[in-house]
Amino acid sequence: MRLLLIEDDDRIAGPLTEGLGRYGYTVDRARTGAAGLTDAAASPDLVLLDLGLPDMDGLDVCRSLRAKSGVPIIMITARGEEADRIVGLELGADDYLAKPFGVRELVARIRAVTRRTTGALPVDSPEPAGPPAAPGGGAQRLGPLEIDRRTRQVRLDGGKISLTPREFDLLAYLAQDPGAVHSRQQIMDAVWDPHFFGPTKTLDAHVAALRRKLGDPGWITTARGVGFRLTDPDQDTASEASG
């Protein structure tokens, strides 16, 4: 399946092209809207369109593409406002993916759009891998905290804690080696995607949410300048008292 990526930022286009290539896609790239409109004449199977182009607004590119062709279009952009999504979809885009995002999510969107527009799944697009599974399929206990990877449930002092799928993946990853410091990049690669596009502030937001739901910020401590580690705050307190 051949994709046309209209993206001017080399820092995004390079890794994105490489990541999509691992899923079996051939990616042609245009750095400007005008070049993208010219390249689209070669009839790509799908267009990935950034809105922040140097020569023209991506919405205008979408409008021009749709006037000439029924090629599926997925907008990829930092503009996450509802109004931008609505305008893009009304102009004829088939999907809208706001940064930050990972290649796995983009591939899933490509597959979904392909199913909707052609009614078939391209044979050269392998099934995207899910998030890495943590070792051990049963429940893990860390003091009063219980993590069951089989059922994806978490309990603290016997009470169930409701986590989002990403929050669970983050907690389960840190719990693989309690007490060990995991770098921010290691966490992003394992829990999000090795080809994640966007600020790592999303990691801080998820850590903050986990701390809040666990009821004690001591569960996830920060190693300044490195990353995070999971510990039982009661055990840490006991160790400090005995020392």
Side-chain angles (χ1 to χ4, degrees):
M1 186 172 183
R2 192 167 63 86
L3 311 178
L4 172 59
L5 171 63
I6 307 177
E7 168 65 69
D8 66 306
D9 193 336
D10 292 338
R11 295 169 300 177
I12 293 177
L16 188 56
T17 298
E18 178 186 350
L20 289 170
R22 294 181 181 180
Y23 283 84
Y25 296 103
T26 298
V27 181
D28 298 324
R29 180 197 174 190
R31 288 179 168 80
T32 65
L37 291 173
T38 299
D39 293 349
S43 300
D45 296 303
L46 185 142
V47 173
L48 302 173
L49 173 62
D50 183 32
L51 295 189
L53 298 170
D55 60 334
M56 58 193 299
D57 193 287
L59 293 174
D60 293 329
V61 177
C62 179
R63 183 185 292 108
S64 298
L65 283 173
R66 188 52 72 231
K68 301 175 183 177
S69 168
V71 62
I73 301 171
I74 298 179
M75 291 182 170
I76 51 172
T77 177
R79 301 183 195 174
E81 296 297 326
E82 182 181 15
D84 289 312
R85 293 196 299 271
I86 291 173
V87 171
L89 294 171
E90 288 185 343
L91 286 175
D94 296 275
D95 204 349
Y96 192 111
L97 185 57
K99 302 171 185 175
F101 62 88
V103 169
R104 277 195 294 264
E105 180 181 3
L106 177 56
V107 170
R109 300 287 188 109
I110 291 171
R111 291 169 62 85
V113 167
T114 301
R115 285 195 296 269
R116 290 199 303 266
T117 56
T118 69
L121 190 63
V123 295
D124 60 344
S125 176
E127 187 69 27
Q140 175 186 0
R141 288 187 177 276
L142 182 64
L145 182 66
E146 179 181 314
I147 303 169
D148 192 328
R149 293 178 174 84
R150 184 177 61 85
T151 62
R152 295 181 66 85
Q153 291 186 350
V154 175
R155 295 182 180 276
L156 182 63
D157 291 320
K160 184 177 178 181
I161 298 179
S162 178
L163 301 181
T164 67
R166 191 75 75 183
E167 289 168 354
F168 179 89
D169 290 340
L170 173 57
L171 181 63
Y173 175 75
L174 294 174
Q176 291 182 91
D177 193 0
V181 175
H182 302 268
S183 73
R184 300 176 70 89
Q185 191 60 54
Q186 288 173 331
I187 297 171
M188 295 299 294
D189 287 351
V191 179
W192 274 262
D193 192 297
H195 300 282
F196 181 81
F197 300 94
T200 58
K201 288 182 180 179
T202 187
L203 171 57
D204 298 283
H206 281 77
V207 168
L210 271 178
R211 285 170 171 163
R212 184 172 62 253
K213 292 182 178 181
L214 292 172
D216 186 337
W219 276 106
I220 302 177
T221 57
T222 302
R224 188 174 299 277
V226 182
F228 301 95
R229 67 188 183 108
L230 179 70
T231 59
D232 180 354
D234 292 336
Q235 287 187 356
D236 276 4
T237 302
S239 299
E240 291 173 3
S242 63

